[in-house]
């Protein structure tokens, strides 16, 4: 497994990998857990070589967010990835990604608006910009992203279609279902911010979501079901709820009832210094 931090050696190494078969990219910010490793395993199943990028992207963090506190553990991450048979880790420094004078931004309207885009202005511009750069740098045949970040996946698919990104084409952007802890909490690098007590309380998030989904699926009106969900989270010890919304799973339009569309419940809530997000299918496919 090669670990590379500069663009020229990356391009030479990729030429050799590409000669050998399909290349899959798994973009990450590091502090890897089983959720990330599930993406890597799926990538390994679909391609001859897996490239994992590890880059804590400053452009997707707003002022006052956790850029400095975000866990960084490159050596431990590389040890995990070596065991998974990853071919290459692309771990650029911020100055290599955004050299002096860097001035281009990619902004995806529509699916970026509301939800995390509403609470974190500029976040999805940062995500779209870095992912577009990663696609251009690595030119993978396919790229894998977690459904854990449902809105992010929608933004990246939209960008790939809109900008005619051919490698990977939009259809080769693959979503992988959320990997959860035994008590249902979605795995996240940010779970490390939780104290033992907060971590125990955080399990209320998926539990309250499942209860709201069961109610909505059995005919309860949406708005009061979401109000009950929010109240349950506050009762469990969450400090605040950024959003709890029912959306069309594909275009993220707001839904006030389930019907012909595939629907998704998306929630962001704060506990201690962590902002946790989760989403689940409503009225259809399980994740
Ligand atoms: P991050 O390092 O948080 O930027 O995540 C890198 C990739 O891993 C993104 O595509 C995430 O959606 C995905 N991911 C993060 N947590 C999980 C999880 N619990 N299950 C599945 N994928 C995940």
């Amino acid at each position: 497994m090669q670990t590379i931090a500069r663009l020229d050696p990356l391009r030479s190494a990729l030429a050799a990998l590409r000669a050998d078969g399909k290349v899959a990219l798994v973009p990450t910010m590091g502090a890897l857990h089983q959720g990330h490793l599930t993406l890597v395993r799926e990538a390994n199943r679909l391609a001859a070589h897996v490239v994992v990028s590890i880059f804590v992207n400053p452009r997707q963090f707003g002022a006052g967010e956790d850029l400095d506190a975000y866990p960084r553990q490159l050596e431990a991450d590389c040890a995990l990835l070596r065991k998974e048979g990853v071919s290459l880790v692309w771990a650029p420094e911020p100055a290599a990604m955004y050299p002096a004078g860097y001035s281009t931004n990619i902004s995806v309207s529509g699916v970026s608006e509301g939800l995390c885009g509403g609470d974190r202005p500029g976040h999805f511009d940062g995500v779209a910009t870095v992912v577009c750069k990663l696609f251009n740098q690595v030119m993978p045949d396919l790229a894998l992203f977690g459904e854990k970040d449902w809105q992010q996946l929608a933004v990246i698919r939209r960008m790939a279609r809109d900008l005619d990104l051919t490698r990977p084409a939009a259809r080769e952007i693959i979503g992988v279902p959320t990997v959860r802890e035994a008590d249902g909490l979605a795995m996240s690098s940010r779970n490390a911010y939780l104290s033992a007590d907060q971590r125990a309380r955080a399990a209320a998030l998926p539990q309250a979501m499942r209860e709201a989904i069961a109610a909505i699926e059995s005919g309860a009106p949406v708005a009061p079901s979401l109000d009950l969900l929010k109240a349950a989270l506050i009762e469990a010890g969450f400090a605040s709820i950024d959003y709890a919304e029912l959306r069309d799973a594909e275009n993220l339009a707001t839904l006030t009832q389930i019907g012909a569309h595939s629907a998704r419940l998306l929630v962001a809530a704060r506990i201690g210094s962590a902002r946790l997000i989760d989403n689940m299918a409503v009225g259809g496919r399980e994740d």
Side-chain angles (χ1 to χ4, degrees):
M1 187 180 86
Q2 307 173 72
T3 303
I4 296 181
R6 288 186 314 107
L7 202 48
D8 286 343
L10 174 74
R11 290 199 164 124
S12 328
L14 283 166
L17 296 186
R18 246 181 245 121
D20 206 36
K22 280 195 176 177
V23 171
L25 172 66
V26 179
T28 81
M29 298 205 300
L32 302 180
H33 50 66
Q34 285 300 317
H36 298 110
L37 298 183
T38 301
L39 267 64
V40 170
R41 285 173 202 144
E42 183 62 8
N44 250 324
R45 209 176 61 74
L46 297 171
H49 290 289
V50 178
V51 174
V52 175
S53 61
I54 298 182
F55 181 62
V56 182
N57 174 32
R59 292 176 73 96
Q60 71 186 69
F61 288 78
E65 288 189 356
D66 57 344
L67 174 62
D68 293 336
Y70 200 85
R72 289 162 173 87
Q73 45 178 65
L74 185 59
E75 274 183 30
D77 289 345
C78 286
L80 289 172
L81 295 175
R82 200 169 287 116
K83 284 196 205 128
E84 298 293 332
V86 164
S87 299
L88 196 161
V89 174
W90 169 225
E93 289 295 322
M97 203 58 135
Y98 304 118
Y102 181 91
S103 34
T104 302
N105 184 52
I106 295 182
S107 190
V108 181
S109 58
V111 287
S112 283
E113 289 153 22
L115 304 172
C116 286
D119 297 326
R120 304 181 68 191
H123 169 67
F124 286 119
D125 284 18
V127 169
T129 301
V130 80
V131 170
C132 187
K133 280 176 68 76
L134 290 168
F135 285 178
N136 286 331
Q137 292 163 344
V138 177
M139 301 278 280
D141 295 286
L142 56 143
L144 295 93
F145 295 87
E147 291 183 353
K148 154 96 184 343
D149 298 281
W150 189 266
Q151 190 178 16
Q152 168 173 285
L153 186 53
V155 169
I156 291 164
R157 287 199 161 118
R158 185 74 258 162
M159 173 186 72
R161 282 189 202 107
D162 289 353
L163 297 184
D164 306 314
L165 295 183
T166 51
R167 296 186 71 174
R171 69 178 177 285
E172 280 140 359
I173 291 170
I174 297 178
V176 176
T178 302
V179 180
R180 297 176 180 282
E181 304 284 0
D183 63 2
L185 182 66
M187 290 189 184
S188 166
S189 307
R190 289 189 166 98
N191 292 350
Y193 299 156
L194 300 172
S195 68
D197 177 58
Q198 291 161 351
R199 169 62 193 83
R201 292 168 182 272
L205 175 57
Q207 192 185 323
M209 289 175 69
R210 291 209 166 94
E211 283 164 13
I213 289 168
I216 292 168
E217 286 177 345
S218 59
V222 169
S225 304
L226 298 180
D227 287 344
L228 281 176
L229 184 163
K230 293 178 198 169
L233 292 181
I234 298 296
E235 175 73 14
F238 278 76
S240 59
I241 289 93
D242 281 5
Y243 60 78
E245 295 191 33
L246 188 71
R247 296 281 185 123
D248 181 285
E250 303 308 320
N251 63 20
L252 300 186
T254 300
L255 298 178
T256 50
Q257 55 185 34
I258 50 172
H261 301 272
S262 70
R264 204 92 193 163
L265 173 63
L266 300 105
V267 181
R270 293 175 192 262
I271 181 164
S273 62
R275 177 180 181 276
L276 304 182
I277 61 171
D278 202 346
N279 69 88
M280 294 178 189
V282 183
R285 191 176 64 82
E286 262 306 313
D287 71 9

